[in-house]
Amino acid sequence: MDINKKWGGVMIPSTVQLKKLIFKIGEVSKMIDVSPRQIRYWESKGFIESLRGNENSSRVYNFHNFMKISSIKYYLDQGYTLQGAIDQTAKHAKNMDFLRKFLEKSYHGIKQLDGKMAVNLGFFDAEKSKILYGLLNDDGEVQYKIVKK
DNA sequence: GTTCTAACA
DNA sequence: TGTTAGCA
């Protein structure tokens, strides 16, 4: 992450590199509610992949595989067989890749806007004269603001 | 405490 | 798939 913005005395990331975000098998297991046994089994079948740092022999998962595991779990809960869940996941792989890219590219940091926390979502126009910000109103709903640079 | 592989009262 | 054993 690009830690170069200061806000409220705390350093916050101005970009997020999901490619470098990794989780251990136990973390993935708790977050997605799939057993480590299942995760290892799916990997043995070649449905998912893990990174194995040579430092130790334990598995780590990048965001891509985290989403893949999450997707398989989702379709299993929907009633699909494992193979069916794998097929559905593969079918929607493009959507997952798109979402991952979008999340990574759309976040440009956080700043104070009119006394409120706002997410910089990047330039609104091709001329790069306006910036789109996302905020949360008092009801917790997302609202947007366009600010001239 | 966590993860690994192998194996199954 | 769960769970346990025995390691690292």
Side-chain angles (χ1 to χ4, degrees):
Chain A
M1 291 194 196
D2 218 11
I3 311 290
N4 56 17
K5 295 284 170 55
K6 208 170 196 176
W7 190 66
V10 180
M11 301 305 273
I12 61 168
S14 61
T15 63
V16 54
Q17 291 186 273
L18 296 179
K19 289 178 182 174
K20 295 183 180 177
L21 184 60
I22 57 175
F23 303 109
K24 293 189 294 184
I25 193 168
E27 300 174 316
V28 174
S29 175
K30 287 172 184 171
M31 288 188 281
I32 305 179
D33 194 30
V34 289
S35 68
R37 174 79 168 89
Q38 285 177 295
I39 296 175
R40 295 191 189 99
Y41 177 69
W42 298 349
E43 183 177 332
S44 74
K45 289 293 184 178
F47 299 147
I48 58 175
E49 306 80 39
S50 71
L51 283 43
R52 308 282 290 237
N54 288 341
E55 121 194 348
N56 53 42
S57 59
S58 58
R59 300 170 172 79
V60 289
Y61 299 89
N62 56 25
F63 201 69
H64 173 74
N65 279 283
F66 173 81
M67 294 181 82
K68 210 164 171 179
I69 294 169
S70 178
S71 176
I72 295 171
K73 165 66 174 175
Y74 170 78
Y75 288 112
L76 282 177
D77 289 345
Q78 292 299 306
Y80 285 89
T81 61
L82 178 56
Q83 187 58 56
I86 298 300
D87 294 342
Q88 287 301 309
T89 296
K91 189 175 172 183
H92 296 118
K94 296 266 188 184
N95 294 340
M96 294 293 101
D97 289 340
F98 169 75
L99 177 58
R100 210 152 28 73
K101 274 185 184 174
F102 186 86
L103 291 176
E104 203 169 84
K105 294 289 184 181
S106 64
Y107 177 77
H108 291 266
I110 297 174
K111 71 168 288 184
Q112 286 276 24
L113 202 64
D114 300 333
K116 284 187 175 180
M117 229 200 254
V119 178
N120 181 339
L121 296 173
F123 292 114
F124 182 71
D125 56 340
E127 293 71 31
K128 298 185 177 180
S129 65
K130 301 167 187 169
I131 294 177
L132 175 66
Y133 288 98
L135 307 81
L136 293 179
N137 64 24
D138 296 333
D139 294 326
E141 298 297 313
V142 173
Q143 73 177 72
Y144 299 97
K145 282 192 178 180
I146 296 173
V147 178
K148 290 178 184 174
K149 193 181 178 186

